[in-house]
Amino acid sequence: MNKLSTSITYDHLNDLIMMKVRGVANANDVIAAYEKANLYAKKHNSSRILLDVSELEHRFAAIDIVNLMPQVVHYIRDLSVARVVGIKGYMHDLFLQKVKRFDVNAENFECFKTAREWLSKH
């Protein structure tokens, strides 16, 4: 049974990829989501992604973030990524901390509007 739902669209007015991932994700799901975002961004020649993970639950150990980060960074290194995160932010905060060590232009936000505003400047 698939425990993950993903939707992705291109906002041509703002030249950004909008993606929502909800459900329960393991480490491979996270990597696959960023791969999908990368492919969609290339298809639309966009370098900005607004990713809503506010309804995403991580089902893997925090230490696994260290192991998956090089693969994730491979897909988002040249992108600006604004992530809308939920209240349960420990894994989201850890993810952001690790991705920034690879000099990826990414930030976490609590609301969609603020995330979009940040992306408009990057």
Side-chain angles (χ1 to χ4, degrees):
M1 180 169 73
N2 192 351
K3 297 180 181 180
L4 195 65
S5 170
T6 305
S7 62
I8 188 166
T9 59
Y10 175 64
D11 177 349
H12 69 279
L13 293 175
N14 295 297
D15 184 33
L16 63 93
I17 305 302
M18 297 191 319
M19 184 172 185
K20 182 170 185 80
V21 182
R22 72 180 95 184
V24 178
N26 62 35
N28 289 330
D29 294 329
V30 171
I31 295 166
Y34 283 102
E35 179 182 20
K36 182 183 279 189
N38 173 277
L39 292 171
Y40 211 78
K42 284 181 180 177
K43 177 181 176 181
H44 293 282
N45 199 29
S46 178
S47 62
R48 299 181 301 152
I49 297 176
L50 197 161
L51 178 60
D52 184 347
V53 291
S54 59
E55 297 177 45
L56 181 67
E57 179 184 341
H58 294 98
R59 272 287 157 82
F60 54 89
I63 192 66
D64 290 339
I65 285 185
V66 174
N67 299 326
L68 69 87
M69 196 51 57
Q71 294 171 69
V72 168
V73 168
H74 171 75
Y75 294 118
I76 63 173
R77 179 179 309 275
D78 299 322
L79 304 173
S80 295
V81 181
R83 302 170 74 241
V84 179
V85 299
I87 294 172
K88 296 180 181 179
Y90 169 72
M91 289 291 272
H92 296 302
D93 291 343
L94 182 59
F95 183 93
L96 183 64
Q97 177 188 25
K98 297 300 180 193
V99 82
K100 284 189 168 222
R101 289 189 179 168
F102 287 90
D103 294 323
V104 172
N105 190 23
E107 289 294 336
N108 285 347
F109 298 91
E110 293 180 9
C111 77
F112 185 86
K113 181 181 177 189
T114 309
R116 187 191 297 248
E117 287 172 359
W118 179 83
L119 272 178
S120 72
K121 299 171 187 168
H122 292 89

